[in-house]
Amino acid sequence: MSNPDYEKNNYQTKNIANNITLRNWTIAWVVTMAIAAFAPKFIWDFNTSLTIIALVVNLAIGLRMLIANRAYLRGLDEMQQKILLEAMALALGVGLVVGLSYELLEDIKLITFQPEIAHLVILMGITYLLAVISGHRKYQ
Amino acid sequence: MKNRLKVLRAERDWTQAQLASALEVSRQTINAIEKGKFDPSLPLAFKAARLFNLSIEDIFHDEVETV
């Protein structure tokens, strides 16, 4: 049998393309999120119509980012998918369990400040990142 | 699950990257399969068997020997 033709492999090419698409939609989502968060106060003085438009655009781009993420995941091979899906499951579980307890802390007067959703997002992000690193090490 | 992927690859003088390319997976996945750290799915096992022109049983073995 002849040597496999390295040039014909489209796995890496497809992944790079999916990765770039996901990166672009993520950047667009972050930018539109920033616009929806700060523009009402600093640019258009809480004009309701513009604020709703900014929010709808942000949501639409967020959905497109999710579709790009799904395409990226489906383009990965089975081991890479397993690593990422396990990391997502862990991040979701940690987010749910710790998030609910964290929210409870204020209700039962153990903390004086208002729990922020951003703290939960950071926790889930760090959990996901560590789980992905751990997953890659596991199969090295 | 044990396998002969590394031996079969070496016999053909292929690199992990070349085998990964032929099977359309990442090089890390080939490395994990060769080391027995990751068991491939049936479709991927069939793909490897087709590539080497062997049966699945010629490449992959269950670690528990049947009597």
Side-chain angles (χ1 to χ4, degrees):
Chain A
M1 182 175 285
S2 63
N3 232 17
D5 189 347
Y6 191 63
E7 295 302 318
K8 280 182 183 171
N9 178 26
N10 62 3
Y11 174 75
Q12 282 183 321
T13 314
K14 188 176 66 180
N15 268 333
I16 291 167
N18 285 343
N19 209 334
I20 290 169
T21 305
L22 178 59
R23 184 201 64 192
N24 291 343
W25 282 110
T26 305
I27 291 170
W29 177 70
V30 169
V31 169
T32 55
M33 174 66 83
I35 291 170
F38 300 113
K41 185 178 178 183
F42 296 109
I43 299 177
W44 55 66
D45 193 26
F46 296 101
N47 179 301
T48 309
S49 303
L50 290 175
T51 302
I52 290 171
I53 289 169
L55 203 62
V56 168
V57 168
N58 175 240
L59 273 173
I61 290 182
L63 286 174
R64 191 59 191 78
M65 180 183 70
L66 290 180
I67 292 168
N69 191 37
R70 186 181 63 173
Y72 171 72
L73 276 173
R74 286 182 173 178
L76 293 172
D77 70 38
E78 53 195 59
M79 191 187 81
Q80 307 287 345
Q81 278 184 5
K82 185 177 162 69
I83 291 171
L84 292 196
L85 290 173
E86 282 180 358
M88 283 180 194
L90 184 66
L92 180 66
V94 168
L96 184 71
V97 172
V98 178
L100 287 174
S101 298
Y102 181 48
E103 202 276 336
L104 196 65
L105 288 178
E106 195 213 7
D107 296 343
I108 57 177
K109 311 293 180 198
L110 281 177
I111 56 170
T112 52
F113 59 90
Q114 182 80 26
E116 294 284 341
I117 190 78
H119 298 160
L120 187 60
V121 173
I122 291 167
L123 174 73
M124 290 176 75
I126 291 171
T127 305
Y128 177 72
L129 193 65
L130 292 176
V132 169
I133 292 169
S134 162
H136 279 286
R137 282 189 172 179
K138 182 176 155 189
Y139 293 114
Q140 263 178 3
Chain B
M1 189 162 64
K2 288 180 180 173
N3 67 78
R4 295 177 55 231
L5 220 52
K6 190 173 183 176
V7 175
L8 293 168
R9 179 172 64 75
E11 282 172 0
R12 287 155 181 81
D13 203 20
W14 293 347
T15 63
Q16 284 187 340
Q18 285 173 316
L19 181 56
S21 168
L23 294 177
E24 294 192 304
V25 296
S26 64
R27 193 199 56 77
Q28 289 81 1
T29 298
I30 294 298
N31 185 51
I33 293 171
E34 283 186 358
K35 287 184 174 178
K37 292 187 175 181
F38 179 75
D39 292 334
S41 67
L42 210 46
L44 183 55
F46 271 116
K47 206 170 180 178
R50 273 197 303 273
L51 179 70
F52 289 113
N53 212 13
L54 296 167
S55 67
I56 286 182
E57 293 85 355
D58 290 332
I59 304 175
F60 300 97
H61 312 275
D62 192 355
E63 284 183 274
V64 180
E65 293 294 332
T66 52
V67 180

